[in-house]
Amino acid sequence: MTQFDVATAAVEAALAAGARYADARVMHRRTESMTARNGEIEDLSQDEDAGVGVRALVGSSWGFFAVPDLGGDAARRAGERATAIARASATVPGPALDLVDIEARVDSWASACEVDPLGVALSVKGDLLTGATAEAHKAGADIAEGLYQIWDTRKWFVSSQGHRIDQHIRESGAGISATVIGDGETQRRSYPSYRGQYGTRGWELVDELDIPSHATRIAEEARALLSAPQCPAGETTLILGSEQMALQIHESVGHAIELDRILGWEAAFAGTSWLDLAKLNQLRYGSELMNITIDPTIPGALGSFGYDDEGTPARQRFAVRDGIWVGALAGRDSAAVAGLDYAGSVRSDGWARLPMVRMTNVGLLPGPHTLDEMIAATDDGVLMDMNRSWSIDDKRLNFQFGCEIGWEIKNGKLGRMLRNPTYTGIGPRFWGSMDMLGSEMVSWGTPNCGKGQPGQIGHTGHPAAAARFQNVRVGVRG
């Protein structure tokens, strides 16, 4: 049987058992990762798995069942079990759950990949990490760590409405960090991000990062932070670099606009959202510079794909336009409940997990300013970059974030390096204070976004640039 035959058998069995809609995903995934510390390889992990997951809809209830067996009989039993679970879940009478209409397509899609990351010799990858971490250790890091991660995923999707879609998505990325230990504290500097940079690209992405050339710099900066003055406390003008802006978008916008959170479907593990559907297209989320898109079509970004796990084709949509909240991350069922006419943001982290609403590429459209212009226009403020810690309430409203490094700004010029910089805010008030936005965008990749019960790890992207905010509380009051 082909992979499509397996998925088709599962769907047909679910329908025969009484489902009014069913879909199935056959997935085959290979992964590889390596870590190094102070010039020595610490861990190498390689894994491969495959299976089929089936969703069945009975009345207003979903059933899901998955098996690590791609035989026809196993697939049919999985379809039957998915329907039985849906029927058992439909214990409360009510209207049938609608699904937003989408065109049933027969298609194939693959992410761009110039250099197959799994085809690069382990010796080459190991030399990269050991060389870079050895150099950072030599330059003063007490702990120098490096890592790369690779995912090679193939999917075959079939639905009872006629979808027949296969996708091949290859993702990779890498990073390095330098930690120094002082009197009662530690400091860390990372490159290119505190957990690396990732995308739906091949090993060419890692080559372009040129990690070894940054090893000495991050070690020296980490050591310099030990003797840098503490970030002062108070309200001031804050400029955030693009890497920290990606985290700011992820936590205070991306999670808040997930429709299952807004509807209260997702609550126990990761909280809900402060947003109210009655205020869609009316609520001011931020200043007029704030234009947030949901865009899985960005080439090479980590949240990109051809179709989501419900067969909805990738398409750009606005979540915030000119500061007004106008859209959400949605699935076919949640969109129908909310009265929306679009979906496209449902994925799972494997064949054995139920697809759910996840971020794709949620990011800012560029602004008109450069970082130098923002600094020059600031009389008194702080520049912070590279995330170190994050904390946000379960409605994604009140937050406090810490960064690896900061610099004071005086009279339009960068001044002293500052250690332990932190800032705090309330979502719409914070975004409403954004008065300058950069033009130089980076599509940062976040490979470890957690959500759901059982927990799932999502891969998300966040196009971001540096931005300036007014009257932000920074530092820690004594």
Side-chain angles (χ1 to χ4, degrees), residues 142-163:
D142 294 303
I143 303 172
E145 297 175 301
L147 83 161
Y148 74 77
Q149 297 182 84
I150 297 166
W151 302 266
D152 187 313
T153 306
R154 294 178 182 267
K155 304 180 182 183
W156 294 264
F157 176 78
V158 170
S159 83
S160 58
Q161 294 178 334
H163 294 87

Side-chain angles (χ1 to χ4, degrees), residues 114-188:
E114 296 176 17
V115 180
D116 180 2
L118 292 176
V120 177
L122 286 174
S123 59
V124 172
K125 299 166 181 171
D127 287 348
L128 171 70
L129 297 187
T130 55
T133 56
E135 183 63 29
H137 185 53
K138 178 182 177 182
D142 294 303
I143 303 172
E145 297 175 301
L147 83 161
Y148 74 77
Q149 297 182 84
I150 297 166
W151 302 266
D152 187 313
T153 306
R154 294 178 182 267
K155 304 180 182 183
W156 294 264
F157 176 78
V158 170
S159 83
S160 58
Q161 294 178 334
H163 294 87
R164 191 179 175 93
I165 299 166
D166 67 276
Q167 299 188 82
H168 186 191
I169 301 174
R170 284 179 281 195
E171 305 158 300
S172 63
I176 184 175
S177 67
T179 301
V180 297
I181 302 170
D183 184 13
E185 70 173 295
T186 62
Q187 294 293 333
R188 183 187 73 208

Side-chain angles (χ1 to χ4, degrees), residues 7-24 54-58 63 75-84 87 160:
T8 299
V11 168
E12 290 177 346
L15 295 176
R20 62 186 181 88
Y21 169 84
D23 58 37
V54 191
R55 292 195 312 172
L57 183 59
V58 175
R76 282 185 282 271
R77 286 194 298 272
E80 293 167 353
R81 290 292 300 275
T83 299
R87 182 176 292 108
S160 58

Side-chain angles (χ1 to χ4, degrees), residues 96-389:
L97 182 66
D98 291 327
L99 301 178
V100 166
D101 287 336
I102 58 173
E103 178 188 356
R105 295 193 182 183
V106 176
D107 199 6
S108 181
W109 186 88
S111 58
C113 178
E114 296 176 17
V115 180
D116 180 2
L118 292 176
V120 177
L122 286 174
S123 59
V124 172
K125 299 166 181 171
D127 287 348
L128 171 70
L129 297 187
T130 55
T133 56
E135 183 63 29
H137 185 53
K138 178 182 177 182
D142 294 303
I143 303 172
E145 297 175 301
L147 83 161
Y148 74 77
Q149 297 182 84
I150 297 166
W151 302 266
D152 187 313
T153 306
R154 294 178 182 267
K155 304 180 182 183
W156 294 264
F157 176 78
V158 170
S159 83
S160 58
Q161 294 178 334
H163 294 87
R164 191 179 175 93
I165 299 166
D166 67 276
Q167 299 188 82
H168 186 191
I169 301 174
R170 284 179 281 195
E171 305 158 300
S172 63
I176 184 175
S177 67
T179 301
V180 297
I181 302 170
D183 184 13
E185 70 173 295
T186 62
Q187 294 293 333
R188 183 187 73 208
R189 288 292 286 130
S190 307
Y191 174 81
S193 169
Y194 75 96
R195 61 195 154 208
Q197 168 65 322
Y198 301 87
T200 52
R201 300 180 60 197
W203 195 253
E204 67 274 8
L205 183 155
V206 178
D207 287 337
E208 291 169 10
L209 293 175
D210 193 14
I211 286 172
S213 68
H214 295 268
T216 297
R217 174 185 62 82
I218 63 170
E220 292 174 346
E221 288 182 356
R223 189 149 293 280
L225 280 168
L226 287 178
S227 57
Q230 185 87 359
C231 177
E235 285 194 359
T236 190
T237 300
L238 173 66
I239 299 176
L240 294 180
S242 68
E243 195 270 357
Q244 178 60 27
M245 281 294 291
L247 187 279
Q248 182 71 53
I249 294 165
H250 181 98
E251 297 293 349
S252 69
V253 181
H255 279 306
I257 63 172
E258 291 169 337
L259 188 52
D260 56 349
R261 289 179 183 270
I262 296 170
L263 293 172
W265 296 1
E266 168 76 6
F269 179 71
T272 56
S273 172
W274 66 276
L275 294 171
D276 181 350
L277 275 175
K279 297 181 179 180
L280 186 65
N281 298 313
Q282 303 172 42
L283 174 73
R284 178 158 291 282
Y285 210 120
S287 75
E288 292 184 354
L289 285 173
M290 187 183 188
N291 289 284
I292 298 280
T293 59
I294 300 165
D295 190 0
T297 70
I298 299 173
L302 190 60
S304 295
F305 48 79
Y307 296 84
D308 79 345
D309 283 351
E310 294 187 307
T312 302
R315 176 183 168 188
Q316 184 201 70
R317 302 183 188 280
F318 273 90
V320 179
R321 191 197 300 264
D322 300 329
I324 304 299
W325 176 43
V326 296
L329 293 153
R332 295 184 66 187
D333 53 359
S334 58
V337 168
L340 306 180
D341 62 357
Y342 60 86
S345 300
V346 165
R347 290 186 290 167
S348 76
D349 73 353
W351 54 267
R353 290 290 181 264
L354 178 70
M356 64 192 306
V357 174
R358 300 307 303 256
M359 283 181 249
T360 60
N361 298 311
V362 179
L364 274 168
L365 292 183
H369 308 108
T370 66
L371 178 58
D372 288 343
E373 288 172 343
M374 293 181 219
I375 295 171
T378 302
D379 291 330
D380 185 33
V382 179
L383 168 63
M384 302 183 191
D385 201 14
M386 204 71 69
N387 183 254
R388 185 175 181 179
S389 65

